Amino acid sequence: MIALFWFMPGGYLYALILERRHRAVRAKGMSALAIRWRWYFLFSGAVTVLAGLGLLISPAQVTLEIRLGGAVILVWGLLALSVAVLAFRTKPWLADPQRTR
């Protein structure tokens, strides 16, 4: 089940990277949806990064599994934050008719 969580921000990040490489955005594609959800990715990524750091840098005696879970959560949060950053940078392209397909 955890492996399926990687598809959500991973798919949007892949679509944003591909469409930035082609210098055009599909008006009804995954990257346009990521641009609309950019605030969701920003807040959820920030909360997830903080939760992952909290599990990694825990002053209490914790098991290796909890630290490993913190590392996985941290990487997932960084992935969501990278989607938000690319979506914020790509947002002006939706208003430009030459860059929208």
Side-chain angles (χ1 to χ4, degrees), residues 19-35:
E19 293 191 0
R20 283 186 66 86
R21 185 176 296 167
H22 295 295
R23 300 200 183 278
V25 176
R26 290 185 192 166
K28 296 189 181 199
M30 278 186 72
S31 61
L33 188 60
I35 291 170

Side-chain angles (χ1 to χ4, degrees), residues 61-93:
Q61 189 75 6
V62 294
T63 62
L64 178 65
E65 291 85 8
I66 291 178
R67 292 199 190 271
L68 182 64
V72 168
I73 290 171
L74 178 70
V75 171
W76 191 86
L78 291 174
L79 192 62
L81 283 177
S82 63
V83 170
V85 167
L86 274 178
F88 275 109
R89 292 181 65 195
T90 311
K91 184 185 181 306
W93 291 13

